[in-house]
Amino acid sequence: MTECQLCLLSLYMTSTKDAPRSFEDLKVLLKDDNKVKVAGIDVDGVLRGKFMSKDKFLSAASSDGFGFCSVIFGWDIHDTVYSRELLISNKANGYRDILASIDLSTYRRIPWENNVPFFLVSFLDPDTKEPLVVDPRGILKITSDRADKMQRSCYAGVEYEYFNFKETPVSLAEKKFQNLAPLTPGMHGYSLLRTQLNNDYFHSIFDEASRFGVDIEGHHTETGPGVLETALAYTNALRMADNAILFKYLTKSVGMQYGVVPTFMAKPWGNLPGCSGHTHVSLRDKSGRNIFAVSDAELSNGRPGAANDDVKFLSEEAEHFLAGILDGIADVMPMVVPTINGYKRLVGGEAFWAPNAITYGYDSRAASIRIISPPSVPPAATRLEIRVPGADMNPYFAISAIFLLGLRGIEKKLELSTPPMSKLSADDKKNGTIKMLPTSLEAATERMMRPESIAREKGMFGDVFVEHFGGTREHEVKVWNEAVTNWEVERYIELA
């Protein structure tokens, strides 16, 4: 086994339950198999992979990895080459192979595919063997390394909301994605009755997730026709991002068995709530203690010197972390809300608890950042919930953005510069006290790509990432700007 792979096994404290600890363990695990499934993740959060023969897989696992076409970083979500040439994969370099390094700590079996063994890969530069900064797993590993140098470990949890339709990929195409049939009618959040209309599908998501090594904390209906919400169990940040991507995969796979299409699109309908990807975060020290928590002595009256009452049960380090997110979130919005549609959820989103401003507050679901701390939870459960991402986020990029901003806040000892939601008025948006988030992918991308953008800083994503990912978002905007929508046709074709 290579030094790189040994590092992966030692670095991530939450490898899957049966992950091999040596190459010999791996051979024993696969002794009765003849093939293995592997996958990596592209910038849109789509799993890209294939089956490999066991012999080919073992050969790759005993070396640096195997070649994988770099075009997955040179085309969009529908396999169309980007509008302009980008650094990683282009005509000039012949869309050359990059190195797919097998992460043995991600071992699991796919229960709905005859228990075939499955591993995730990380993409490396074939020359330097360093993580590709634009690889979703690569940037989160870089983020985790930065926290590790500060003697901190990143932990996270993700909640997904998603609509479900009585459709198939074929019926979607035949209907031209119009007049889709929701799994159930009406608005029934936390309903014990609505799930029974599709008991097998509902329970299969939970049960298959457990067998697939994607732990779930909560699973229920949410407000909206056919909407479900699933909260994934809190864990190490890289394992959380892996679980989040794999949860989408397993839900869509289970849906195929029951004639259901789940969608993690952020805003499928204009007049209904969108689908969130709320992300919870905290930091731990090397002993495993939550460093966002106040000390026992501060539990009675709160921390002396806190900026305000909303943060008095956060540690000073957590307050700096919060200030870091607030300071830079507008500059990293494409990593948090990466799609055209994602901004439809935020525009006018106050009616649906979707934040569109740079705000924070204790236990506030109206704020962009909800502070979860004593007295509502024990100190060990202290965390921040970032409510800006939609379900269409790439969890690796969103989680990286949150932690990189927070760590920057700690390093710079940033202070909170605005009051919490509880001290704001309706006029504060008009007078500029409340700063607004970008309202479109185009505006967000332009802001991220400015020379002075926080996203470009050396301790953040850096120029290489920003230029590549920014180019992919510019392509998405270009495709959108060239599209003629149904709304335009219906509005103008007769009367214009």
Side-chain angles (χ1 to χ4, degrees):
M1 187 180 298
T2 66
E3 181 179 350
C4 177
Q5 288 167 320
L6 286 171
C7 283
L8 280 171
L9 284 174
S10 63
L11 178 62
Y12 303 121
M13 297 176 288
T14 52
S15 58
T16 57
K17 180 168 62 84
D18 298 318
R21 300 296 175 180
S22 68
F23 187 67
E24 292 305 313
D25 286 349
L26 177 64
K27 290 194 290 186
V28 171
L29 278 174
L30 303 182
K31 64 184 177 63
D32 296 322
D33 298 290
N34 65 354
K35 62 181 179 295
V36 178
K37 197 171 195 177
V38 297
I41 299 96
D42 70 13
V43 297
D44 288 299
V46 176
L47 283 167
R48 304 279 189 170
K50 63 181 179 179
F51 283 99
M52 301 174 70
S53 71
K54 181 170 72 174
D55 289 344
K56 173 70 173 178
F57 175 85
L58 289 174
S59 174
S62 65
S63 63
D64 289 325
F66 61 94
F68 202 109
C69 183
S70 65
V71 75
I72 64 166
F73 292 107
W75 63 20
D76 67 14
I77 197 169
H78 283 284
D79 295 6
T80 299
V81 175
Y82 291 125
S83 309
R84 65 180 175 88
E85 296 284 272
L86 300 177
L87 179 65
I88 305 301
S89 182
N90 51 56
K91 291 179 183 176
N93 65 23
Y95 302 100
R96 67 172 185 166
D97 274 359
I98 49 180
L99 195 60
S101 177
I102 300 163
D103 186 346
L104 299 183
S105 75
T106 66
Y107 165 77
R108 63 217 339 123
R109 289 180 180 268
I110 305 177
W112 60 89
E113 287 193 53
N114 299 319
N115 274 327
V116 66
F118 176 84
F119 295 84
L120 288 169
V121 304
S122 295
F123 294 111
L124 311 180
D125 184 293
D127 299 322
T128 67
K129 308 298 191 295
E130 292 295 316
L132 278 183
V133 71
V134 301
D135 169 38
R137 297 190 89 239
I139 190 61
L140 188 47
K141 181 185 182 297
I142 290 168
T143 301
S144 299
D145 287 346
R146 287 178 184 160
D148 192 59
K149 289 175 182 176
M150 299 170 66
Q151 303 300 305
R152 298 290 182 253
S153 298
C154 304
Y155 278 76
V158 168
E159 304 167 1
Y160 276 132
E161 297 169 347
Y162 47 105
F163 280 80
N164 296 269
F165 299 101
K166 291 180 181 177
E167 304 287 352
T168 68
V170 173
S171 72
L172 290 180
E174 289 176 346
K175 289 183 171 184
K176 301 186 186 302
F177 302 92
Q178 299 294 311
N179 302 314
L180 306 183
L183 192 59
T184 56
M187 313 285 274
H188 296 277
Y190 298 97
S191 172
L192 298 185
L193 295 175
R194 276 299 187 266
T195 59
Q196 296 180 59
L197 294 173
N198 301 277
N199 251 339
D200 290 344
Y201 171 63
F202 181 78
H203 286 285
S204 288
I205 293 173
F206 195 108
D207 296 341
E208 296 288 55
S210 179
R211 286 190 279 267
F212 194 42
V214 177
D215 294 333
I216 290 175
E217 286 188 350
H219 186 49
H220 59 88
T221 65
E222 185 51 279
T223 299
V227 180
L228 298 177
E229 177 174 349
T230 307
L232 305 181
Y234 209 71
T235 186
N236 167 277
L238 183 66
R239 177 70 186 275
M240 183 70 262
D242 288 345
N243 285 356
I245 282 291
L246 294 176
F247 177 76
K248 288 186 178 183
Y249 171 60
L250 78 88
T251 303
K252 293 174 183 180
S253 298
V254 169
M256 290 178 187
Q257 300 172 24
Y258 293 97
V260 176
V261 172
T263 178
F264 294 84
M265 183 178 176
K267 187 75 169 176
W269 311 118
N271 60 344
L272 290 172
C275 297
S276 70
H278 297 156
T279 302
H280 298 243
V281 298
S282 63
L283 289 172
R284 296 184 187 179
D285 64 18
K286 293 307 176 182
S287 71
R289 182 181 66 88
N290 184 349
I291 63 95
F292 281 11
V294 294
S295 67
D296 291 343
E298 295 167 329
L299 273 177
S300 297
N301 300 309
R303 174 174 56 86
N308 53 63
D309 285 347
D310 283 52
V311 298
K312 68 181 181 181
F313 289 106
L314 287 181
S315 69
E316 183 178 7
E317 194 164 329
E319 188 175 314
H320 292 318
F321 189 99
L322 170 62
I325 300 174
L326 295 167
D327 183 56
I329 191 169
D331 281 7
V332 300
M333 277 293 284
M335 283 74 98
V336 180
V337 183
T339 69
I340 294 291
N341 181 256
Y343 292 83
K344 302 291 179 72
R345 171 178 163 267
L346 301 182
V347 174
E350 295 150 322
F352 302 116
W353 293 356
N356 53 19
I358 304 174
T359 55
Y360 69 97
Y362 171 73
D363 205 12
S364 174
R365 286 182 169 85
S368 292
I369 304 176
R370 175 186 170 213
I371 298 166
I372 303 173
S373 71
S376 64
V377 297
T382 302
R383 61 196 187 276
L384 301 177
E385 179 190 15
I386 289 70
R387 296 177 59 81
V388 177
D392 59 353
M393 68 171 174
N394 183 326
Y396 300 92
F397 290 166
I399 291 172
S400 293
I402 293 163
F403 278 108
L404 289 172
L405 288 173
L407 294 171
R408 177 179 178 270
I410 292 172
E411 288 178 328
K412 292 180 174 291
K413 297 189 182 300
L414 296 180
E415 303 290 341
L416 295 173
S417 59
T418 57
M421 285 287 289
S422 58
K423 302 299 182 183
L424 297 173
S425 70
D427 291 332
D428 286 328
K429 282 188 178 179
K430 299 175 184 177
N431 63 31
T433 300
I434 299 176
K435 304 299 183 185
M436 303 302 293
L437 293 168
T439 57
S440 70
L441 182 60
E442 185 169 14
T445 302
E446 287 174 355
R447 176 160 183 153
M448 176 188 72
M449 297 190 75
R450 294 173 306 151
E452 67 272 22
S453 168
I454 289 172
R456 289 187 178 274
E457 291 181 7
K458 186 178 180 182
M460 289 291 298
F461 287 93
D463 286 333
V464 172
F465 179 95
V466 168
E467 287 299 319
H468 182 90
F469 187 60
T472 74
R473 297 310 90 186
E474 288 176 335
H475 168 83
E476 199 76 5
V477 170
K478 180 178 184 293
V479 172
W480 163 249
N481 285 340
E482 292 171 350
V484 177
T485 66
N486 289 341
W487 181 89
E488 293 169 279
V489 174
E490 292 170 9
R491 191 166 184 86
Y492 301 121
I493 195 166
E494 178 187 0
L495 300 175

